[in-house]
Amino acid sequence: MKSTNLLEIVRNQSISIENSNFLPERDNIPVHSFRGLILIKDPQKELNRLGVSPKLIGYWDLLTAIELVLKNKSALTAMIKEIYIPTAAKRCVEWDCPEASIRKAIRLIWQRGNRDLLERIMNHSLPEPPPAGEFLGAFAFYLEDASEESN
């Protein structure tokens, strides 16, 4: 199985739909079109805007988890098997390590980060930090939403 990173996914998603049949494993990448182009926001930039520092391991675990969700939205229905275990395998740790670091990063966004952007991504006000699965799903949708400009 060929391993792809998030940058390759972003590059692949900026190729026109007419050329999409030339890409290997293209069926696994979500497609949202806007005038014939596939657009996606930069996940690293958006995590920085939310207030997550690349100094946190949760930042990198979030990027890996987002990569997995962008490839396969149904991964959100089996978080441990489809997201936490593959993320942990990249770091050679147990699955609960990325689970905890992702929850911590989300909690830090909610406590000290850009709460307005977080609530815009989640599409409602938040009395408490969102669960990891809900955040990952909403963040993936936000990245793919070509109609909203990044501020």
Side-chain angles (χ1 to χ4, degrees):
M1 181 176 180
K2 181 182 171 190
S3 174
T4 58
N5 64 27
L6 191 55
L7 184 57
E8 289 174 32
I9 291 172
V10 171
R11 284 184 184 147
N12 288 343
Q13 290 203 2
S14 61
I15 295 174
S16 70
I17 292 174
E18 292 81 22
N19 297 327
S20 65
N21 59 341
F22 296 110
L23 295 173
E25 302 177 18
R26 184 64 184 175
D27 297 333
N28 295 334
I29 300 173
V31 176
H32 293 279
S33 113
F34 180 73
R35 294 190 184 177
L37 294 178
I38 302 164
L39 305 173
I40 186 168
K41 293 178 182 80
D42 178 14
Q44 292 179 329
K45 179 181 174 185
E46 296 305 319
L47 283 177
N48 286 330
R49 288 181 62 217
L50 279 168
V52 182
S53 169
K55 294 178 182 179
L56 292 175
I57 193 67
Y59 174 89
W60 301 103
D61 286 344
L62 274 170
L63 283 178
T64 303
I66 289 297
E67 173 186 345
L68 295 168
V69 172
L70 287 172
K71 284 183 189 177
N72 178 15
K73 296 279 191 312
S74 65
L76 292 168
T77 63
M79 294 281 292
I80 293 173
K81 180 181 174 188
E82 300 290 334
I83 295 175
Y84 296 140
I85 291 175
T87 302
K90 280 189 159 187
R91 291 202 291 130
C92 300
V93 295
E94 294 294 322
W95 70 266
D96 56 342
C97 292
E99 186 256 349
S101 69
I102 288 171
R103 277 189 294 109
K104 180 180 179 181
I106 293 169
R107 190 174 60 249
L108 287 173
I109 293 168
W110 185 78
Q111 290 173 342
R112 296 184 285 186
N114 186 343
R115 175 106 51 113
D116 291 335
L117 178 58
L118 177 62
E119 290 181 346
R120 192 167 59 216
I121 289 169
M122 298 302 296
N123 205 23
H124 60 86
S125 61
L126 299 167
E128 58 188 28
E134 287 181 27
F135 174 80
L136 291 172
F139 192 69
F141 179 77
Y142 170 77
L143 291 175
E144 294 176 335
D145 185 9
S147 65
E148 184 176 326
E149 287 294 316
S150 297
N151 295 330

